[in-house]
Every structure is written in C-alpha cells, then in structure tokens.
C-alpha cells in the first residue's frame, strides 16, 4: 500500500474522534470559545441531547469575515499570539474544535466583530465542506449552530446515549464552566425547557446555584498561597458528605480537570474525619504559573500534568486541613434538618393546623423518662445538676468551668439523659451532645496535637496494674513497648502472658484499664507487624477513649458536662466523630417552635 498524506477532511474527522467525543464535548468547546471571547452572557440551546441541534450564542468580541473564514480551518487560532505553549491564558489553544465539529456535522457560525464597522457575516461548514462568508444579521457577538452532529461519521452516532443522558452530560459541562466563571451569565435550554439560568454572581452564590444551599451553608472557604501558586474555593465540613466523589470539582487555571492526584489529596485531607466510603463535597481552584503545569496532554484538555506534583498535593492537603480546623466544632446544618425530619416522622406528625390534644404521638419516646407514656402527663424529677450520684469528677481530666452563663456556642449543660447524651441550652436553642463520640474526638485531637508537640502527658499509677493476657498478645504489646510509651502507655513484662501497666495517658484516666490493654493487643494484631502505631492513631484513640472516662453510660455532673462542651468548642474538628458522624445536634428555638406548630 503506498504511503500518502491524508485528505484534510479525514484528518479533521479523526481529530473529531478525540476532541468531540459526544455532544457535551462539542458544547464544552463552543462555550469555552465564548468564554475566551470575553462574553458576559452565554446562551446554550440543545435538542435531543444535542445530537440533532445545538446553538451557542454569546456577546463576546466576535469575528469579522476574514477571521470567520480562518476560524474553521485546522490549527487556526488567535490564542497563541507569541507561539508560546507555556503561558496559555485561554481555555482554547489547539485550533481544533471548530474544524473538528464542522467535519462531522452541519455547522453555521454567524458573528459580528466588536471593533470595526462591518456587518455580521456567516459561514457554513457541512461535513467539512466550507462555504464563503456571506453577510448576515446579528446585533453582536457570535452564534454557532450545529445540526446533525456525527451525521458524517455514522459509527460515532451509534455510541450516543439516550437524549436524557446526553442532556445531563451537557448540563454538567456547563455547570463546571459556570463554577469557574461566576461573573458570566449562563443559560441552558433543552428541548424548550430551561434547565439552567445562572445570572452573574459571586463565587459563593454561584456554588449555591449549582451545588445547592446545603453546600453553601456548610462549606468553609479555602485560601492558601505558596510560591506563586494559589488555592481557593470552598470545601464542605466533614459532616456534609456523600457516597461518591462526583461532587468534587477541581479547576486548574480556570480549566475544569479530573485528576487522580487531586482526588488522592482530598482523601488524605479528610482521612481523619470520614469513613472510607464517604466523600466530601468541594470545589477547588488552583492557579499555578504556566511553566509549572502542562495543559497540553489531552485533546479534550481534561487532564494536566504538574511539574512538582508532590508540592501541589501538599498544598491541597494543607489548605484543606487548615480550613477545616478553622471550622472548629461546627457540624453541618443538615444534621439539625435530619433531626427535625425524624421528629416529624409519622409517629409524630408535623403540626397540621389542628390541635391534637387527645392523640399525643409520643410512642417513640417510650421509656425515655424512665416509664412509657401512659396517656397522662407525669413529671419525673431530673437529677440535680450538682448531685448526679456516682459522678466522679476526678476521672475526667478536663477543667471544670463554673460560670456557664456566658454566651458559649454549645451552651450551658442542663442535664444528661440515658447517661449518654448531654442536653445543653444555648442562647437561641438547644444542643444535644453524644458524649462518647465527642470525647473520642477530643482524645484523638488531643493526642495528635500532643504527639506533634513532643509527647503525650503520662500519669504514673500508684500501683502498677497487672493485666493477664495470653502469651502471644503480651508479646505483641511488648514488641511495641516504645511506641506505646510515646502514646502515653508505659508497660513492662510481668512474667509469661502478663503485663504490668506503669503509666497511662493523663487525659484518659484509668478506668477499665484491663479491657483497654486487651483491646489494644487485638488492635495491634490486626494492624500487622509493619504498621506504625502512629499511623493507626485514630483506632488506638478510639480504643483508649472507648474504655476511658467519658463513655456512654457514665454519669456526668454539671461541671464535667460543661467542661466537655467548652473543650469541644476549643478543639478543631470536634463537630464530628472519627467517622464523620456528628458529635452533637443543634436545634434552634425556631426549629423547636416549628415542631410544636408555633410557626
Ligand atoms: P481554539 O479555541 O483552540 O483557538 P477553535 O477551533 O475552538 O480553536 O477556534 C478557532 C478560533 O476561532 C479561535 O482562536 C477564535 O479566534 C475564533 N473563535 C471561535 N469561537 C469564537 C467566539 N465564540 N467568539 C469569537 N471568536 C471565536
Ligand atoms: Mg476553542
């Protein structure tokens, strides 16, 4: 077979195979062109998912007749003025999109150059056959109409999904670009239905438009800068999480990208707060100097390469962690929403305007006050705040605070229910704290900090506590003696199969030491030989805190409860337990009023 140069049309069709994978990809290229043209308003219309027709109209700088004719030629671009692939300031640069789309469809571009007195012109490309520009009517900007996408490449046509799916793809493409360009007004109409109408807005408002109210209310702002690189955006606090990472948006120099490095960095930043199968919602913008990133690695420009990926990763992890720490004890508002919904379950219907005096729906509270609700009101005296029998203040290594009348975010403790939950009154509502989950988190954060600052404070036992184990378990513990010491637990061998505990972490107290040590031995067995205990700190803390002083089922007195609340307020990440579940729920007075139909 003789070797030959392929005809232009075939080249463009081959390029279209890469660049224009599906209607949404064509939309992405056209909308990016409109953004590059400095538009403030971009209107997108599609029919049947874009397959039968799509129109992108903008109010950008436009093109004159000569430019129009060139725009549809292969490798013709206005965006690399100095032939410089390093400092790319635009979304486009390959000069491939228009000729590729034109090669596989019927495309008409109408445009009017902003500078210059000329009229508008239009040009048509039908399956690669280009017409001459002819005068046309258009007030300003550019309008690109594409009909019968892929009609010239029937093989590709077969791979299109249902119009619904393709419409959804188009929507996602526009949403992504709209996040990166909040000051541009975007509109998407599909088969005469308006799917998106996003007026120019601040970034926060734009994210609310797209990612929802929940996200906007429960996200912290990210703002990090290092060596000319900048990371900005918003990230959800951990209690607002999802079962997929599909709500994680990432942009490099204004370009939406999907990047494994970033997904890994986000996972690393949230590792301490979320279970493995949960993912935070977030939207991050990284801007890096042109010479440190290569955007020219993918025909559809969906991937980038960083010169120093470790640095970028570090910056993302650091920026996220810093911002999350600033969220302090905040737990997401959705927690309260969910609580309200469960109160308003069928067992306790929401107020519907009627007074249901004779049908109290308290079934789900059965046993809560010590006896089932029996049709008549009764009151049971709550234990006095200072007289909680069995409370041992000295077990809790947290300083009691006497005056709780101040305006604390988590309020003043009123009582404890079921020896598990603390009820506190705040200025404008009430807070319910899961004392065990909260304490576990406090212990973990405390230990992390202590470790970073050179060690965990230990408390010597007056008499060593002897724990009998089997020999293998005792050996496993002794093999980790030095590591355990760093974590505050000092042990020695006490004959075969026994351990003498000499010192314990000061913040844990020493109740139930026997069980703690046994569980630690089990933990260590499950970590394997090589895993450093520090890497498993979260589990170790859970184990220690689990048998430590403030666990579920332990009576607390008022001072202890208030001390716990104050500590939560001061400890980063205390709004969620080590698995991303909330440690407390807040109900505002107006929420409570809603429950009782007062609002
Ligand atoms: P690229 O965007 O990579 O330059 P395209 O094939 O997408 O390549 O576009 C070719 C050229 O056509 C652009 O460089 C630009 O000059 C011009 N162009 C395309 N779309 C528009 C538009 N909406 N408004 C103004 N100029 C446009
Ligand atoms: Mg382009």
């Amino acid at each position: 077979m003789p070797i030959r140069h392929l005809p232009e049309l075939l080249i463009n069709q081959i390029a279209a195979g890469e660049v224009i994978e599906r209607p949404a990809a064509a939309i992405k290229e056209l909308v990016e062109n409109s953004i590059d043209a400095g538009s403030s308003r971009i209107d997108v219309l599609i029919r049947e998912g874009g397959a039968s027709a799509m129109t992108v109209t903008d109010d950008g700088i436009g093109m004159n007749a000569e430019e129009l004719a060139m725009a549809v030629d292969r490798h013709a671009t206005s965006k690399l003025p100095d032939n410089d692939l390093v400092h790319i300031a635009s979304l486009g640069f390959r000069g491939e999109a228009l000729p590729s789309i034109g090669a596989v469809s019927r495309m008409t571009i109408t445009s009017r150059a902003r500078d210059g007195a000329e009229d508008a012109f239009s040009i048509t490309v039908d399956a690669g056959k280009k017409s001459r520009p002819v005068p046309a009517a258009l007030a300003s900007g550019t309008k690109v109409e594409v009909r019968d996408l892929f009609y010239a490449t029937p093989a590709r046509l077969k791979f299109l999904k249902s119009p619904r799916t393709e419409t959804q793809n188009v929507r996602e493409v526009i949403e992504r670009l709209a996040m990166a360009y909040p000051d541009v007004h975007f509109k998407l109409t599909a088969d005469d239905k308006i799917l998106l109408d996003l007026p120019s807005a601040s970034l926060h408002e734009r994210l609310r438009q797209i990612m929802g109210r929940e996200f906007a209310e429960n996200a912290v702002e990210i703002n990090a800068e290092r060596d000319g690189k900048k990371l900005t955006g918003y990230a959800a606090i951990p209690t607002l999480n999802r079962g997929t990472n599909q709500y994680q948006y990432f942009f490099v120099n204004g370009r939406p990208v999907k990047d494994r490095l970033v997904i890994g960095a986000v996972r690393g930043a949230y590792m301490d707060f979320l279970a493995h199968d949960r993912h935070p919602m977030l939207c991050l913008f990284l801007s890096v100097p042109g010479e440190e990133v290569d955007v020219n690695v993918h025909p559809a420009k969906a991937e980038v390469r960083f010169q120093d990926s470790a640095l970028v990763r570090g910056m993302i992890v650091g920026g996220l962690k810093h911002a999350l720490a600033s969220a302090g004890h905040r737990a997401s508002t959705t927690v309260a929403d969910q609580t309200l919904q469960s109160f308003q379950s069928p067992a306790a219907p929401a107020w519907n305007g009627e007074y249901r005096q004779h049908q109290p729906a308290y079934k789900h509270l059965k046993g809560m006050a010590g006896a089932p609700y029996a049709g008549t009101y009764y009151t049971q005296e709550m234990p006095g705040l200072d007289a909680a029998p069995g409370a041992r203040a000295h077990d809790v290594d947290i300083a009691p605070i006497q005056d709780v009348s101040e305006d604390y975010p988590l309020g003043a403790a009123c009582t404890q229910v079921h020896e598990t939950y603390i009820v506190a009154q705040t200025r404008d509502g009430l807070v319910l704290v899961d004392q065990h989950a909260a304490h576990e988190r406090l212990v973990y954060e405390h230990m992390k900090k202590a470790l970073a600052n050179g060690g965990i404070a230990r408390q010597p036992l007056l008499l060593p506590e002897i724990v009998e184990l089997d020999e293998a378990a005792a050996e496993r513990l002794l093999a980790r003696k030095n590591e355990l010491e760093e974590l505050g637990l000092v042990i020695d061998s006490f004959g075969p199969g026994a351990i003498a505990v000499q010192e314990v972490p000061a913040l844990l107290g020493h109740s139930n030491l026997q069980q703690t040590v046994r569980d630690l031995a089990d933990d260590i067995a499950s970590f394997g030989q090589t895993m450093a205990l520090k890497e498993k700190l979260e589990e170790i803390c859970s184990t220690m805190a689990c048998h430590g002083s403030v666990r579920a089922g332990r009576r607390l007195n008022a001072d202890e409860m208030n001390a716990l609340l104050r500590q939560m307020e001061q400890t980063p990440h205390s709004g969620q337990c080590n698995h991303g579940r909330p440690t407390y729920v807040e109900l505002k007075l107006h929420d409570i009023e809603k429950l009782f139909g007062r609002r």
Side-chain angles (χ1 to χ4, degrees), residues 265-500:
V266 168
R267 187 170 273 289
Y270 280 82
M271 190 173 65
D272 278 356
F273 320 115
L274 283 181
H276 284 307
D277 54 347
R278 305 302 298 176
H279 305 269
M281 295 174 80
L282 49 82
C283 181
L284 297 178
F285 301 89
L286 183 68
S287 68
V288 292
E291 54 272 19
E292 292 179 32
V293 62
D294 187 356
V295 294
N296 186 25
V297 288
H298 191 276
K301 298 165 288 180
E303 285 172 26
V304 295
R305 297 253 192 294
F306 297 107
Q307 193 185 56
D308 188 344
S309 50
L311 204 82
V312 170
R313 190 194 142 89
M315 192 164 166
I316 296 172
V317 176
L320 283 172
K321 281 194 162 172
H322 181 81
L324 290 177
S326 73
H329 67 276
R330 241 173 100 189
S332 98
T333 57
T334 51
V335 174
D337 290 349
Q338 284 160 10
T339 312
L340 280 173
Q341 274 163 22
S342 68
F343 268 118
Q344 291 169 346
S345 68
W351 174 246
N352 62 4
E354 264 173 68
Y355 199 66
R356 306 166 151 257
Q357 198 167 18
H358 301 294
Q359 307 160 8
Y362 292 154
K363 282 189 218 100
H364 60 298
L365 293 182
K366 212 166 173 174
M368 179 166 163
Y373 178 73
T376 47
Y377 285 102
Y378 76 100
T379 54
Q380 180 193 303
E381 253 175 60
M382 289 294 187
L385 280 187
D386 297 311
R392 288 159 301 165
H394 59 270
D395 277 359
V396 188
D397 187 38
I398 35 189
I401 286 179
Q402 301 304 327
D403 180 16
V404 288
S405 59
E406 270 183 62
D407 192 11
Y408 291 114
L410 292 180
C414 302
T415 186
Q416 185 193 27
V417 289
H418 286 277
E419 299 178 343
T420 301
Y421 304 102
I422 298 169
V423 182
Q425 176 175 331
T426 62
R427 196 164 48 85
D428 57 353
L430 73 82
V431 160
L432 201 58
V433 177
D434 178 335
Q435 67 189 41
H436 176 63
H439 186 245
E440 213 175 274
R441 188 79 213 178
L442 291 181
V443 168
Y444 180 43
E445 290 298 332
H446 194 108
M447 278 195 162
K448 262 199 318 196
K449 195 165 157 213
L451 271 178
N453 293 342
I456 290 168
R458 301 194 295 257
Q459 186 184 23
L461 301 181
L462 278 182
L463 291 173
E465 178 128 356
I466 310 302
V467 185
E468 305 274 356
L469 302 146
D470 62 66
E471 247 169 81
E475 261 159 42
R476 265 199 309 273
L477 283 168
L478 287 167
R480 301 283 196 154
K481 183 173 152 51
N482 292 340
E483 281 180 272
L484 286 171
E485 197 163 317
E486 258 189 283
L487 300 177
L489 195 73
V490 180
I491 55 169
D492 280 317
S493 170
F494 197 75
I499 294 280

Side-chain angles (χ1 to χ4, degrees), residues 33 37 58 62-63 71 76-79 92-99 142:
N33 279 346
D58 66 47
M63 288 172 273
T77 179
S78 57
K79 301 174 191 174
F93 58 89
R94 300 171 62 99
E96 275 190 319
L98 294 182
T142 301

Side-chain angles (χ1 to χ4, degrees), residues 75 289 536:
H75 300 318
K536 286 289 177 181

Side-chain angles (χ1 to χ4, degrees), residues 63-73 76 123 130-133:
M63 288 172 273
N64 61 29
E66 198 185 328
E67 290 168 328
L68 253 186
M70 278 191 74
V72 295
D73 283 350
I123 193 172
K130 181 177 144 183
S131 75
R132 295 167 60 84

